[in-house]
Amino acid sequence: MNQLGTGIAITGSGSAASEVTLDNHQLSQIVDTSDEWITSRTGIQKRHLMDAQGSLSEMAATAAHSAIAMAGIAPEDLDLIILATSTPDDLFGSANQVQAHLGASKAVAFDITAACSGFVFGLATASQFIRTGLYQNVLLIGADILSRWVDWSDRSTCVLFGDGAGAVVLQANQSDRLLGFALCSDGTQNSCLQLAYEPQDQEIVKGLTVAKGTYQPITMSGKEVYRFAVQKVPEVIEKALFRADITTEQVDWLVLHQANQRILDAVAQRLNIPKHKVLSNLAQYGNTSAASIPIVLDEAVRLEKIKSGDIIVTSGFGAGLTWGAAVFKWGR
Ligand code: COA
């Protein structure tokens, strides 16, 4: 699928999160849970939480700065900024605020929403603009502040999520390093995981009622989402690997959306990918939605675990339901 068009390389990564954390022991003072339950069922020990004044676009810009610096370009070199988020500061979109924070005056900017698949859907979206020759330098950010939308009295969801941002720079490149991807949606299962709009009546003139906008906190059928992930993620990864003409044995790193350690283990086992190739930072971050993949990727790059030319298969999955996978070689 890669022969037609300009080659693409992922040349920089960055990440950011609040320094404020909430550990499992603190959570057990809020809801009826325990460190033992959360750790054994999810692998999560703590999560980073943005304070009430914190801004998603500022956190996204911090991650973006690091990614741009690693790529060796300046903000003014960016042609496009894509912000994958479900929790923008502004429902009209927050990518333009990121553009302003960065001073990326030449770049056009927009948001995409695909929940925890946002980063992988963003990779596929960003790649189209480079592949066709339209743009050379694209910044892709995954950022979420789910703590704004968590029901902190619901122990079945509040233990899972955290806040953060991660970013990568994609560039037109002589050799093509983005080898393949596959994306899927199934709206019939939308109710499994929602941050749903719930209208309230608002009579604006006699006899004419419109809705007053409000959103309900996150609701989730944990077991169904778990089953969905363990079944569909290996399938979509195999599809992307097939399109990339890469075998599972050739994969250096499996970089899954950080939802639950048990999901990571089960997917790796189904694909026969050994544990030492599976990146995980769930213990420190929990599920940061669209940010989880670029955060864990950035950590591994900065620790020099991931080296130039390593083959990475990544998969995002979550609300929608949506899921997808991408295969790429790190670096230029
Ligand atoms: N602390 C203690 N007990 C809890 C709890 C918590 N935080 N959350 C739920 N429980 C209880 C349940 O009430 C239930 O009690 P009951 O048997 O008396 O009814 C019991 O633990 C078992 O619940 P169950 O739902 O069977 O647990 P589980 O083993 O399926 O684990 C999840 C729950 C949420 C960890 C798991 O289903 C999961 O990870 N699903 C995927 C969620 C996800 O990743 N979502 C985001 C995708 S992007």
Side-chain angles (χ1 to χ4, degrees):
M1 75 194 265
N2 300 328
Q3 290 86 341
L4 309 166
T6 309
I8 298 166
I10 301 178
T11 56
S13 64
S15 57
S18 162
E19 281 175 14
V20 177
T21 59
L22 182 76
D23 68 22
N24 293 347
H25 297 287
Q26 291 169 294
L27 254 180
S28 67
Q29 291 159 20
I30 308 171
V31 288
D32 182 12
T33 190
S34 65
D35 176 49
E36 197 283 325
W37 194 96
I38 302 170
T39 307
S40 62
R41 304 285 174 121
T42 69
I44 300 165
Q45 290 170 15
K46 67 174 187 184
R47 59 291 291 145
H48 296 250
L49 299 181
M50 183 60 84
D51 64 37
Q53 272 67 47
S55 132
L56 181 112
S57 53
E58 279 174 23
M59 180 171 65
T62 304
H65 265 302
S66 304
I68 293 165
M70 190 188 289
I73 58 171
E76 307 82 60
D77 297 324
L78 291 172
D79 302 302
L80 171 65
I81 298 170
I82 298 177
L83 173 63
T85 186
S86 305
T87 55
D89 296 326
D90 179 342
L91 263 189
F92 286 143
S94 289
N96 291 296
Q97 292 172 40
V98 177
Q99 183 234 28
H101 289 309
L102 293 173
S105 49
K106 202 179 83 183
V108 64
F110 60 83
D111 291 24
I112 63 165
T113 306
C116 302
S117 307
F119 182 77
V120 172
F121 279 41
L123 267 185
T125 307
S127 72
Q128 306 308 306
F129 289 95
I130 300 177
R131 196 70 85 205
T132 52
L134 188 62
Y135 295 138
Q136 272 76 54
N137 300 315
V138 180
L139 171 68
L140 169 64
I141 309 160
D144 269 306
I145 304 183
L146 281 181
S147 62
R148 290 173 174 173
W149 298 104
V150 162
D151 177 352
W152 288 100
S153 66
D154 175 6
R155 68 176 183 175
S156 67
T157 52
C158 75
V159 301
L160 300 175
F161 300 107
D163 305 331
V168 294
V169 172
L170 292 89
Q171 292 189 274
N173 197 55
Q174 231 164 17
S175 90
D176 190 27
R177 315 276 269 182
L178 183 58
L179 307 176
F181 58 81
L183 309 178
C184 304
S185 293
D186 180 4
T188 65
Q189 295 197 68
N190 184 259
S191 61
C192 287
L193 182 50
Q194 286 184 311
L195 200 174
Y197 171 66
E198 194 176 90
Q200 285 171 1
D201 285 354
Q202 177 175 219
E203 192 173 47
I204 48 170
V205 291
K206 194 155 179 47
L208 175 56
T209 302
V210 296
K212 186 173 179 188
T214 56
Y215 286 82
Q216 290 302 300
I218 294 167
T219 57
M220 180 183 74
S221 312
K223 275 193 196 314
E224 279 165 56
V225 174
Y226 187 93
R227 266 197 299 270
F228 143 75
V230 169
Q231 185 197 341
K232 296 294 185 188
V233 172
E235 285 176 15
V236 80
I237 286 177
E238 277 173 349
K239 199 169 181 178
L241 286 170
F242 176 77
R243 289 179 177 171
D245 199 18
I246 295 283
T247 64
T248 45
E249 291 75 33
Q250 288 174 281
V251 169
D252 293 303
W253 301 104
L254 177 62
V255 187
L256 297 177
H257 164 51
Q258 307 284 297
N260 180 323
Q261 189 60 46
R262 282 155 63 212
I263 295 177
L264 268 58
D265 294 343
V267 170
Q269 197 181 6
R270 285 197 184 194
L271 291 167
N272 226 356
I273 293 180
K275 269 193 169 174
H276 69 268
K277 292 186 173 183
V278 184
L279 294 186
S280 174
N281 64 4
L282 264 161
Q284 306 305 313
Y285 284 88
N287 178 344
T288 57
S289 194
S292 86
I293 292 172
I295 292 176
V296 76
L297 180 78
D298 182 51
E299 278 184 358
V301 168
R302 286 175 195 276
L303 288 170
E304 296 182 358
K305 279 166 96 172
I306 294 180
K307 298 188 175 59
S308 183
D310 281 1
I311 296 177
I312 295 167
V313 63
T314 185
S315 177
F317 52 91
L321 297 177
T322 53
W323 63 107
V327 187
F328 60 92
K329 285 186 188 168
W330 178 254
R332 243 177 261 276

